[in-house]
Amino acid sequence: MRKLLKLVVFIIIPAMLVNAWFVSRQTREAATFGGGRVVSVTGPDLNVREYGTGPAKGAIVLLHGYASSIEWWADVAPQLAEKTGRKVIALDLVGHGGSESPLDSDAYGAQGQSLAVARALASLKAKDVVLVGHSMGGHVATAVAQREPGLVDRVVVIDTFGAAGLRDRGPLQEATCWPVVGEALDRARSIDEVTKSSLQAGFAADFEVPTFAYRSLKQMTHRGVCESTAGDEMNEKRPVAVQLEQLGKPVKVIWGGRDTLTPTAANVAAYENAGLTPEIVQGAGHSPQVEAPDDIVGIIADFVK
């Protein structure tokens, strides 16, 4: 027992502390990912992918959710460009996909993310855009519309929890962000069998987790995993459902009928109370753009006419 205690005190704990320091300091430069290209801006550089030949003015801009990437729009973006005749721009948020993962914690929050998106769109000369945000991407879209109202024509949010407490964070993410222990547990993100149950929560129970979901999760640094808190930050101010209703712009809310990660009934009620009635995609879980892409394309195309 004494030998075991010495092992813990003199070897395991110091090793965990060293690991925690290195893991918490990990950064990543922007690099092409998912068929995109890097847009260099002031602050974190972003990976973007453009579809269609329409002008940047009036473009449809797609913002993915937490631990996702532009790959989550692969079945939606080309169809949307073809059906609407508009340019479609998918962006990787800071710390996700091929976009930069900096050391600055503020870059991962709602204001840092919205500033990075606004700068990237300015670089692409996009204006009067339709912002479409899935889950956390909807919170970032809300922040962008508030920061740069002249940039945004209208907003679509998909399964974006509308008030504090209306989502299930999940035990794996909580544990991964514990001090010291979390950095050690974070190494398990490279093992698909470990992350499968957490990723499954992003879809209906009988929908197979796509391979790009694992790939997107592995792209993140530990800091990106733990500091990407735009949804919580936005709802701490006041319910996002209320913030969206008060934008003074057309807003469309879409929800998966079988969403358990951000439970359908409670979130639909929050939006209805704010004066926004969600359109339900029956059979889909938390990610209708992946589970029912044709439905999402149809709804957005009708909304932007």
Side-chain angles (χ1 to χ4, degrees):
M1 187 61 154
R2 186 173 295 176
K3 288 183 178 179
L4 178 60
L5 184 59
K6 287 183 178 179
L7 179 66
V8 170
V9 172
F10 293 106
I11 299 178
I12 296 178
I13 291 178
M16 289 180 67
L17 290 171
V18 171
N19 176 72
W21 189 87
F22 276 106
V23 170
S24 67
R25 304 289 293 179
Q26 284 179 346
T27 60
R28 190 189 70 237
E29 293 184 358
T32 56
F33 177 81
R37 65 183 179 90
V38 173
V39 173
S40 296
V41 295
T42 302
D45 297 333
L46 299 189
N47 179 59
V48 308
R49 184 170 182 179
E50 297 170 87
Y51 300 81
T53 57
K57 178 180 172 63
I60 299 173
V61 177
L62 307 177
L63 305 178
H64 61 76
Y66 174 78
S68 306
S69 70
I70 60 173
E71 290 193 301
W72 289 57
W73 299 107
D75 290 335
V76 167
Q79 284 193 71
L80 203 51
E82 182 178 358
K83 190 161 187 174
T84 65
R86 295 178 181 234
K87 179 183 286 294
V88 174
I89 304 171
L91 286 83
D92 277 332
L93 296 174
V94 175
H96 293 73
S99 291
E100 185 176 343
S101 294
L103 198 58
D104 180 13
S105 295
D106 291 340
Y108 299 92
Q111 297 311 310
Q113 294 281 15
S114 63
L115 178 58
V117 170
R119 285 172 169 168
L121 293 179
S123 176
L124 296 171
K125 296 181 169 45
K127 55 184 178 179
D128 296 330
V129 302
V130 179
L131 274 182
V132 180
H134 169 239
S135 195
M136 186 185 78
H139 299 115
V140 176
T142 305
V144 173
Q146 293 169 340
R147 174 187 289 274
E148 300 285 349
L151 175 67
V152 180
D153 176 60
R154 55 189 59 204
V155 177
V156 179
V157 297
I158 305 171
D159 292 70
T160 294
F161 70 94
L166 296 186
R167 59 98 173 173
D168 179 12
R169 187 176 175 87
L172 182 61
Q173 186 184 353
E174 292 283 4
T176 300
C177 297
W178 291 343
V180 183
V181 175
E183 285 86 354
L185 292 175
D186 188 55
R187 295 185 178 277
R189 257 192 309 126
S190 63
I191 306 171
D192 291 353
E193 286 305 312
V194 173
T195 58
K196 183 177 181 179
S197 61
S198 292
L199 289 174
Q200 187 66 64
F203 308 92
D206 55 357
F207 188 88
E208 184 176 356
V209 177
T211 55
F212 59 72
Y214 296 101
R215 188 161 52 241
S216 297
L217 182 60
K218 291 171 185 174
Q219 281 291 108
M220 301 181 74
T221 62
H222 182 260
R223 184 173 294 271
V225 168
C226 296
E227 302 288 352
S228 298
T229 56
D232 291 330
E233 289 176 28
M234 292 295 287
N235 277 298
E236 281 174 4
K237 296 194 299 182
R238 63 184 186 280
V240 164
V242 175
Q243 294 186 55
L244 282 164
E245 193 278 330
Q246 294 176 347
L247 281 179
K249 300 179 183 294
V251 174
K252 184 72 173 178
V253 182
I254 305 171
W255 219 271
R258 298 171 61 196
D259 188 346
T260 57
L261 187 62
T262 51
T264 303
N267 278 282
V268 167
Y271 278 101
E272 288 178 339
N273 290 338
L276 298 170
T277 300
E279 185 159 349
I280 308 299
V281 180
Q282 299 296 343
H286 183 67
S287 306
Q289 82 280 17
V290 176
E291 300 167 79
D294 293 347
D295 291 347
I296 295 302
V297 169
I299 294 170
I300 295 175
D302 287 344
F303 182 62
V304 302
K305 280 181 180 177

